[in-house]
C-alpha cells in the first residue's frame, strides 16, 4: 500500500493562505497524488489531484515537488468553512485506496 | 450532493445482532468502496467491488460481508455485532476499478451504534 505522512493538525487565520504538507517518499512514477477533505459530520470530498505538474482548481492548488516525494495543498484564502480533516493519498492503479489520519485544519477567526 | 446514497443514516442495535447497510453509487459508476471510520482508527478501507466482482479487500472482519448487485447497488452485512463495531460506515463510488487518477465520491455515511 502506498503511504503518506501528514502533520496531525495545523492552525491558520481566516482569510490567510494555508499550506498543508504531505510526504510520500515511496511514491512510484505512475502514482497520482490526491487530496480529499472531510468536513464535520460529512463524508470525504475530493479536492484535487495531480501527477507531476502543479494543478489549480476552484477549491485549491496542488504544488508537487520536483522529485515527487512531497506535495503541498494550498488554500489561497482560508475561510471558517475550510475547517476540516485533509487527507493526502496516493492513487496507484490496481491498489487499495488507503486514507491515513490526515491533517485536522483549524481556522481561527 | 455527491450522488452516492446511503441508507439508513442512523442505526441503533444490540450486541449479537445483524444489520445491513445499503449503498447506491452515482449513476454510471461501476466501483463501490466501503470504509469504516471510528474515532481512534480513522478511515479504514474495508472492501471494493467493481461491476459485481470483489476487487480489493482491506482489514474486513470475517463477521462482515459485502456484495454488489447487478443494478450496481451494494450492501454491507455486519453480523454478531460487538460494541467495537460502532462507527460511521461510508460508501464511495468511482467510474472504474481503482485507476490511479480516479476520483472517489462518498456518501454521507451510516452511523451505527451497537448498545
Amino acid at each position: 500500500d502506498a503511504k503518506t505522512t501528514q502533520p496531525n493538525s495545523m492552525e491558520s487565520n481566516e482569510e490567510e493562505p494555508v499550506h498543508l504538507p504531505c510526504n510520500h517518499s515511496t511514491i512510484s512514477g505512475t502514482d497520482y497524488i490526491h487530496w480529499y477533505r472531510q468536513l464535520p459530520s460529512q463524508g470525504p470530498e475530493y479536492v484535487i489531484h495531480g501527477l507531476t505538474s502543479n494543478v489549480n482548481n476552484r477549491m485549491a492548488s496542488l504544488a508537487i515537488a520536483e522529485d515527487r516525494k512531497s506535495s503541498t495543498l494550498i488554500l489561497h484564502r482560508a475561510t471558517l468553512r475550510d475547517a476540516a480533516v485533509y487527507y493526502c493519498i496516493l492513487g496507484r492503479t490496481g491498489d487499495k485506496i488507503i486514507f491515513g489520519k490526515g491533517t485536522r485544519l483549524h481556522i481561527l477567526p | 450532493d455527491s450522488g452516492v446514497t446511503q441508507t439508513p443514516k442512523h442505526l441503533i442495535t444490540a450486541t449479537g445482532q445483524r444489520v445491513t447497510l445499503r449503498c447506491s453509487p452515482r449513476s454510471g459508476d461501476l466501483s463501490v468502496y466501503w470504509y469504516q471510520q471510528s474515532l481512534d482508527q480513522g478511515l479504514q478501507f474495508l472492501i471494493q467491488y467493481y461491476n459485481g466482482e470483489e476487487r480489493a479487500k482491506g482489514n474486513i472482519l470475517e463477521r462482515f460481508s459485502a456484495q454488489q448487485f447487478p443494478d450496481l447497488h451494494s450492501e454491507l452485512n455486519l453480523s454478531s455485532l460487538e460494541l467495537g463495531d460502532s462507527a460511521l460506515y461510508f460508501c464511495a463510488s468511482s467510474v472504474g476499478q481503482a485507476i490511479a487518477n480516479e476520483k472517489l465520491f462518498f456518501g454521507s455515511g451510516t452511523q451505527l451504534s451497537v448498545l
Side-chain angles (χ1 to χ4, degrees):
Chain A
D1 301 341
K3 295 220 184 313
T4 64
T5 306
Q6 300 177 254
N8 289 334
S9 67
M10 291 183 63
E11 267 185 7
S12 181
N13 294 319
E14 196 178 9
E15 298 186 4
E16 290 187 358
V18 181
H19 288 67
L20 295 162
C22 180
N23 287 318
H24 26 79
S25 57
T26 60
I27 192 169
S28 71
T30 54
D31 289 347
Y32 276 76
I33 301 156
H34 295 252
W35 284 82
Y36 287 78
R37 73 177 185 181
Q38 187 173 18
L39 302 171
S41 304
Q42 294 187 28
E45 64 173 342
Y46 166 83
V47 177
I48 200 166
H49 75 283
L51 182 62
T52 56
S53 306
N54 294 344
V55 185
N56 301 297
N57 66 21
R58 64 175 181 80
M59 289 180 72
S61 295
L62 174 60
I64 301 172
E66 199 168 330
D67 64 4
R68 301 210 326 125
K69 293 186 177 182
S70 65
S71 61
T72 303
L73 180 70
I74 302 165
L75 307 178
H76 294 287
R77 195 166 165 270
T79 70
L80 295 177
R81 288 178 298 177
D82 291 320
V85 177
Y86 287 78
Y87 299 97
C88 167
I89 66 173
L90 296 182
R92 179 175 292 174
T93 296
D95 204 1
K96 300 186 283 274
I97 302 175
I98 303 297
F99 286 73
K101 294 202 172 177
T103 296
R104 184 171 295 277
L105 177 64
H106 301 273
I107 305 296
L108 306 175
Chain B
D1 182 10
S2 67
V4 178
T5 304
Q6 287 190 250
T7 56
K9 290 195 183 308
H10 303 276
L11 200 47
I12 300 174
T13 187
T15 55
Q17 296 297 304
R18 172 188 168 94
V19 297
T20 297
L21 313 183
R22 183 187 168 103
C23 170
S24 294
R26 287 189 325 152
S27 176
D29 284 0
L30 298 179
S31 270
V32 168
Y33 309 76
W34 286 98
Y35 288 85
Q36 178 193 55
Q37 186 171 43
S38 53
L39 285 174
D40 57 345
Q41 291 293 320
L43 203 59
Q44 299 287 310
F45 171 76
L46 295 178
I47 199 163
Q48 179 210 350
Y49 280 84
Y50 174 77
N51 204 21
E53 301 283 333
E54 182 185 305
R55 274 292 179 261
K57 214 167 188 175
N59 296 324
I60 186 167
L61 298 172
E62 284 190 15
R63 301 183 285 109
F64 296 2
S65 65
Q67 54 185 325
Q68 186 180 27
F69 295 88
D71 67 352
L72 301 176
H73 91 271
S74 178
E75 293 181 355
L76 179 66
N77 300 296
L78 315 177
S79 62
S80 303
L81 284 167
E82 302 175 358
L83 296 177
D85 297 328
S86 296
L88 256 174
Y89 290 83
F90 286 106
C91 167
S93 73
S94 70
V95 173
Q97 44 177 327
I99 300 169
N101 61 345
E102 200 152 38
K103 300 177 195 177
L104 297 188
F105 295 86
F106 282 81
S108 54
T110 293
Q111 177 68 62
L112 174 66
S113 299
V114 182
L115 305 179

